[in-house]
Amino acid sequence: MSYPYPCSPRQRYFHLVVFLAALALVGCAAAPGSGTIQFAATDSIEAGGKDVTVSVDASGLSGERREVFLRQAGTRKIANKVLQKLWSGGGKSQLPDALNIRVTGFRLRSGSTGFWLGPMAGADRIDVAVEVIRGGTPTESFATNTSTAVAGVIRPGAVERFDRMVNTLADRIVAGI
């Protein structure tokens, strides 16, 4: 590597460390991708078994919260995690035909806010309303949520905090049906 100005090996090492640290920070800040405001997934536990459709609608979110939710691919992650929890749990004969999940509230602190301010910046949260469909008709509905104030050095990344909340939310949804 050739520098336009003379520098010592120690200075070159320092520049390399700064460059790699900046690259790591940019890589950690990247969200997992774009999502959709509505997403539905259908799956069955075994070939020829009962299909369950999980649909997630986040159209009630607006502004920056909607953009952050989309960057986290929230609708897809929630639907897929709920299906995964349905199949890993017992009571397969009690599975619904469909679950309609509507995201009613959402907040996710940025990675830097979570790191520097931690719980003082408020909590991350996801609120949902769930409608359970059996035999083509709604049989029950309920609301649930999850939140976390953990951040800072413990969980600085927004993606990791979001995925952890989705996992907890899916547990609560499956427990509620």
Side-chain angles (χ1 to χ4, degrees):
M1 181 183 284
S2 170
Y3 286 94
Y5 54 91
C7 61
S8 69
R10 184 177 181 139
Q11 289 173 322
R12 287 184 188 154
Y13 178 74
F14 175 75
H15 292 155
L16 178 63
V17 169
V18 169
F19 173 75
L20 291 176
L23 188 62
L25 286 174
V26 169
C28 291
S34 63
T36 59
I37 205 67
Q38 295 178 334
F39 181 83
T42 301
D43 200 2
S44 63
I45 194 163
E46 57 193 30
K50 181 177 182 176
D51 282 343
V52 176
T53 300
V54 176
S55 60
V56 180
D57 180 4
S59 60
L61 300 177
S62 61
E64 182 182 337
R65 292 177 189 220
R66 177 183 240 181
E67 292 173 26
V68 172
F69 192 81
L70 289 173
R71 278 196 310 264
Q72 293 295 328
T75 54
R76 179 181 49 82
K77 285 183 177 181
I78 291 171
N80 289 336
K81 186 57 81 169
V82 168
L83 280 172
Q84 177 188 358
K85 298 286 182 175
L86 282 171
W87 300 148
S88 65
K92 295 178 181 92
S93 63
Q94 300 171 3
L95 288 176
D97 297 330
L99 291 173
N100 297 329
I101 302 168
R102 189 172 36 87
V103 180
T104 57
F106 172 72
R107 180 173 189 253
L108 183 67
R109 296 165 290 168
S110 69
S112 59
T113 301
F115 180 79
W116 292 110
L117 299 176
M120 291 186 298
D124 301 321
R125 66 178 176 76
I126 305 172
D127 305 316
V128 297
V130 181
E131 181 181 54
V132 182
I133 310 293
R134 287 191 171 95
T137 59
T139 58
E140 59 187 292
S141 62
F142 62 94
T144 189
N145 62 41
T146 185
S147 66
T148 181
V150 174
V153 177
I154 299 168
R155 289 202 200 308
V159 174
E160 180 186 2
R161 286 184 278 120
F162 182 79
D163 290 347
R164 189 173 169 93
M165 285 195 307
V166 166
N167 189 54
T168 302
L169 185 67
D171 283 336
R172 291 179 181 174
I173 290 170
V174 170
I177 58 173

